[in-house]
Amino acid sequence: MKIEKVNDHQIRCTLTKADLADRELKISELAYGTEKAKNLFRDMMQQASMKFGFEAEDIPLMIEAIPLNADCIVLIITKVEDPEELDTRFSKFAPAVDDDEDDMDPDDFSDSSSTATDSIFDLFRQIQESRKAELAANAAGKQAQDKDQKAAAEIPAMSARIFSFPTMHHVIRLAHVANNFYDGKNSLYKNGKAGKYLLVISEEDMTAEAFNRICNVVSEYGRLEPSTAGSEAYYREHYDLIAEESALQTLAQF
């Protein structure tokens, strides 16, 4: 279990399958919030308190769960001093948490207050159910998938994908999550007139699996924009270049 301090208000926790094995826990147990699983989460918060002075008492928490793969989940835990910050702009990132935020108890996950702990296990449960549905769909539609792949092979693959973000804050949050596994080529532009940021993720020197993985994570924070082979050239001419080739890697330092 790796716990990192992002800033005074946010920590990032990486939880692996090995961490669960040390405590004789399975991922399926995490998904359904057994007592062992809840104890693990409380221990994680206690470690954050001892190592970084990250105290959650009397402060609401916003918790985001990002599954990196079948064996690793990253938790982004943020102290929200102004409850009004929990507005609809986060609804597409963590809908399970969004519905319960107003009822979340600000205690630091003690036995007398389990609402915050339960909400994170709701997310684990959704992740688990999503994976089961994906496996079932893959098994049932393999023949159709092979046909689609054959047709796709006849069409030149896009060399990049473009995502838009309403604020720089959204891009920085993504950068901290992607910093654990992504080191590809990406550039950030600002469309001042529209008031949004545009991140160009390049497939250059990446496997198709790695490229799809980072795009799936980015889609949790930004919106996929329609693009053509000449989109980035247009951005260079009309928009402000914020960071070239390693934008996420640079922003992860903030």
Side-chain angles (χ1 to χ4, degrees):
M1 179 168 60
K2 181 180 179 181
I3 302 177
E4 303 168 276
K5 179 180 179 181
V6 177
N7 53 50
D8 290 339
H9 303 285
Q10 188 176 80
I11 58 173
R12 178 172 61 248
C13 306
T14 304
L15 190 62
T16 67
K17 194 171 183 178
D19 296 324
L20 304 181
D22 289 341
R23 293 171 177 259
E24 299 181 351
L25 276 169
K26 297 180 180 179
I27 292 181
S28 59
E29 290 183 86
L30 261 186
Y32 294 99
T34 64
E35 192 60 35
K36 287 183 180 180
K38 292 181 180 181
N39 287 336
L40 171 63
F41 191 72
R42 294 189 188 101
D43 289 347
M44 182 173 63
M45 295 301 296
Q46 289 174 0
Q47 287 188 39
S49 174
M50 290 186 292
K51 291 176 64 176
F52 308 117
F54 188 85
E55 299 293 343
E57 187 174 0
D58 296 329
I59 299 176
L61 294 175
M62 180 178 69
I63 307 172
E64 298 173 75
I66 308 297
L68 299 185
N69 52 53
D71 298 328
C72 184
I73 294 176
V74 171
L75 303 181
I76 304 296
I77 302 174
T78 306
K79 292 190 289 187
V80 183
E81 296 183 351
D82 181 4
E84 292 184 1
E85 293 181 17
L86 297 174
D87 54 24
T88 54
R89 67 180 178 178
F90 297 117
S91 61
K92 67 176 181 177
F93 305 141
V97 176
D98 192 71
D99 293 339
D100 296 330
E101 285 290 355
D102 292 337
D103 298 326
M104 186 177 288
D105 196 306
D107 290 348
D108 57 350
F109 299 91
S110 64
D111 290 337
S112 62
S113 175
S114 61
T115 303
T117 304
D118 291 340
S119 65
I120 189 61
F121 289 113
D122 287 339
L123 284 176
F124 282 125
R125 188 175 299 110
Q126 285 195 354
I127 293 167
Q128 187 79 357
E129 292 173 353
S130 177
R131 286 176 181 156
K132 288 181 180 179
E134 182 179 357
L135 290 175
N138 288 341
K142 188 176 186 305
Q143 184 176 359
Q145 182 180 14
D146 291 341
K147 182 178 180 181
D148 291 341
Q149 289 177 345
K150 182 178 180 180
E154 300 174 358
I155 303 174
M158 292 181 62
S159 60
R161 290 181 188 171
I162 300 173
F163 297 83
S164 64
F165 302 81
T167 69
M168 177 64 78
H169 175 68
H170 290 75
V171 186
I172 293 176
R173 290 171 58 207
L174 164 64
H176 286 296
V177 172
N179 192 47
N180 290 309
F181 66 96
Y182 174 65
D183 193 34
K185 182 179 177 181
N186 62 96
S187 299
L188 183 66
Y189 299 83
K190 182 179 181 181
N191 181 346
K193 185 176 181 179
K196 64 182 180 180
Y197 295 83
L198 296 152
L199 181 68
V200 180
I201 302 290
S202 175
E203 191 176 5
E204 182 178 339
D205 299 326
M206 296 183 68
T207 65
E209 181 180 358
F211 182 64
N212 287 332
R213 180 185 179 190
I214 181 60
C215 287
N216 286 338
V217 173
V218 176
S219 67
E220 295 293 321
Y221 291 81
R223 185 179 68 181
L224 180 65
E225 295 284 342
S227 61
T228 65
S231 292
E232 187 168 10
Y234 178 87
Y235 292 172
R236 287 181 180 276
E237 182 176 355
H238 295 88
Y239 301 157
D240 296 325
L241 177 62
I242 304 300
E244 188 173 18
E245 296 192 353
S246 58
L248 292 179
Q249 294 89 328
T250 301
L251 291 174
Q253 307 306 313
F254 292 90

